[in-house]
Amino acid sequence: MVIKVVLADDQALIRAGFRTLLADAGDIQVVAEATDGDEAVRAARDTAADVVLMDIRMPGTDGLTATRRIAADDDLAGVRVLILTTYETDEYVYQALKDGASGFLVKDIEPDELLHAIRVVARGDALLAPSITRRLIADLVARPARRVADTSVLSRLTDREREVLVLVAGGLTNDEMAGRLFLSPLTVKTHVSRIMTKLAARDRAQLVVLAYESGLVTPGG
């Protein structure tokens, strides 16, 4: 299966570099380019893209607004947004995940890491660089006023599902969770899918946010 990608960045040189890199991947095809958020949303719709590589700071409609529009559009439910930026700031990390991004990477990553990230989010998983995950956690704790702390959402989950959600928030893969819980990876995948349905989460990245906002997970806990 070929992964269809839209490149959204206002800098032509950066788009050209990404296009050249992705062209050599074999299983990834750049189907459109965009220079602002409006173009990115239209391109995602017109090409039935799997992944949008989305810059945050673009003239006109920015990447966060475009991400929010994609996540809210039922016709684009299969599109995953991978935020790729030079700005590794807490506010952007938190807001991008809240807006529906499936991954968040900075532009100085290695080429292989970018290819891996595209493949991960294309199959419906979430991807966060470890350093960014730590920043997200620190941000949620440092700004308690922004935390929802709505524990009622947890009442929808079974004890096992809560246990799985804690591990998802810790960044574990399905295989790692299976080993920790002595379950099969398929069983873990089923649990994750049910949790996403019960909590109305778009993907695993939003589960991480929900786990911390609900108070189920705390740093160091």
Side-chain angles (χ1 to χ4, degrees):
M1 172 184 171
V2 175
I3 301 170
K4 294 182 290 184
V5 174
V6 171
L7 299 178
D9 195 297
D10 62 314
Q11 298 184 44
L13 186 60
I14 290 179
R15 295 197 310 275
F18 286 152
R19 176 182 284 276
T20 298
L21 170 63
L22 300 182
D24 295 334
D27 61 335
I28 300 173
Q29 177 186 5
V30 176
V31 294
E33 296 183 18
T35 59
D36 63 25
D38 287 336
E39 289 183 5
V41 175
R42 287 197 299 271
R45 181 178 294 109
D46 293 344
T47 63
D50 300 302
V51 177
V52 178
L53 275 184
M54 186 82 76
D55 187 27
I56 288 182
R57 293 192 176 183
M58 294 182 287
T61 302
D62 63 27
L64 293 179
T65 301
T67 298
R68 189 159 53 247
R69 290 179 183 174
I70 289 173
D73 192 330
D74 290 340
D75 293 335
L76 300 177
V79 180
R80 297 290 178 257
V81 176
L82 179 59
I83 297 291
L84 191 63
T85 182
T86 55
Y87 302 96
E88 189 181 347
T89 65
D90 297 341
E91 184 65 31
Y92 286 135
V93 173
Y94 184 84
Q95 194 59 51
L97 296 179
K98 291 286 289 183
D99 288 342
S102 295
F104 194 113
L105 296 171
V106 290
K107 289 181 178 178
D108 61 355
I109 62 171
E110 295 296 321
D112 287 347
E113 293 179 292
L114 176 59
L115 298 179
H116 173 69
I118 291 173
R119 293 171 181 133
V120 166
V121 299
R123 65 175 181 251
D125 291 334
L127 186 141
L128 297 170
S131 63
I132 294 178
T133 302
R134 289 193 294 271
R135 284 174 176 267
L136 170 63
I137 294 170
D139 184 47
L140 289 170
V141 173
R143 306 186 185 191
R146 283 218 317 235
R147 296 182 63 187
V148 177
D150 181 7
T151 58
S152 66
V153 298
L154 301 179
S155 65
R156 307 169 195 168
L157 305 180
T158 65
D159 290 342
R160 174 62 85 183
E161 287 168 346
R162 292 191 189 200
E163 192 174 9
V164 170
L165 180 55
V166 168
L167 297 181
V168 170
L172 274 68
T173 65
N174 285 353
D175 287 343
E176 290 169 339
M177 286 190 285
R180 184 78 63 89
L181 300 174
F182 302 103
L183 300 172
S184 72
L186 180 58
T187 299
V188 170
K189 183 177 180 180
T190 299
H191 281 309
V192 173
S193 296
R194 287 175 178 169
I195 295 168
M196 289 174 59
T197 298
K198 289 182 178 182
L199 300 184
R202 180 179 172 88
D203 57 24
R204 294 166 74 112
Q206 290 196 317
L207 288 183
V208 174
V209 174
L210 286 169
Y212 281 95
E213 287 187 335
S214 68
L216 178 63
V217 177
T218 57

